Amino acid sequence: MKFVHGEFDIALSGNIMLTQAYGPWNAECVVAFGEAYRIERQLLKADTWSDIVILRGESLLIPDAERVLGVRIAAVVPLGLKKVAIVTAESSVSVTARMQLTRMYDSLDVEYDFFTTYSEAKAWLEEAGFSTSAQSEQAFFAHLPASVL
C-alpha cells in the first residue's frame, strides 16, 4: 500500500522518542507529526532526549515537507534533543532517503547516524546514556515487522 501523504506512529519511551514514519510525506503530514511530537515530548521527565526514527515504505520528503521538518527539528534541538538514530531497513528508497536526510541534518546542530536495525540504533543511543521503558517500547512495536528489530 502506498501512503500518498505519509503516516507516522510516535511514542515516548524512557528518554527516547520512537517514531515509525511511512512515506512519502508532504508538509501537511510533517505539521501533524510536529504536533504529535510536541504532545509526546511534554510527557518527558528529562532535560535531554534522543530520537529513533524507523523509515518505512517510500520514505521521501517532498521539498516543502523537508523544509518544514528541518524547521521543526531546529526548534527542538535547543530544548534538549541530542541524538537522532535513523533506521532504514524498511525503506524502499533508503539510499535516496539517506541522502535527503543527511542534507537536512547536516544543517542542524544535532548528532545523527543511520542504522539497518532498531537494535543497532538503540545500542548507539544507550552508549550515550539514553534508554527506553520496556513496557512502552513493547507496546509501540506490537505492530512493527520483526525484520526491523
Side-chain angles (χ1 to χ4, degrees), residues 5-132:
H5 300 293
E7 293 186 10
F8 60 88
D9 294 313
I10 188 167
L12 179 63
S13 181
N15 59 357
I16 297 177
M17 192 74 73
L18 303 174
T19 301
Q20 292 183 64
Y22 308 83
W25 303 284
N26 63 10
E28 179 181 75
C29 181
V30 172
V31 168
F33 168 76
E35 180 59 21
Y37 189 98
R38 183 189 64 77
I39 290 167
E40 288 295 317
R41 193 180 60 76
Q42 289 175 335
L43 303 172
L44 187 65
K45 307 234 186 299
D47 293 333
T48 61
W49 76 93
S50 61
D51 290 348
I52 296 178
V53 180
I54 300 167
L55 302 178
R56 309 221 21 232
E58 208 173 320
S59 48
L60 298 173
L61 296 151
I62 66 167
D64 283 349
E66 182 178 351
R67 182 188 55 75
V68 171
L69 183 60
V71 167
R72 293 198 177 260
I73 295 169
V76 296
V77 169
L79 300 177
L81 176 63
K82 296 300 179 195
K83 291 182 167 239
V84 179
I86 305 156
V87 181
T88 61
E90 294 293 316
S91 171
S92 60
V93 289
S94 61
V95 172
T96 306
R98 185 177 174 133
M99 289 181 349
Q100 185 177 45
L101 291 172
T102 296
R103 180 176 61 243
M104 185 185 69
Y105 279 111
D106 277 352
S107 68
L108 301 170
D109 188 24
V110 66
E111 188 176 352
Y112 71 95
D113 206 347
F114 295 91
F115 301 90
T116 304
T117 66
Y118 172 78
S119 298
E120 294 167 332
K122 182 179 171 183
W124 182 65
L125 295 178
E126 286 174 339
E127 288 175 11
F130 297 100
S131 62
T132 59

Side-chain angles (χ1 to χ4, degrees), residues 134-148:
Q135 184 177 10
S136 60
E137 181 182 38
Q138 184 178 28
F140 184 76
F141 287 112
H143 58 308
L144 185 70
S147 62
V148 173

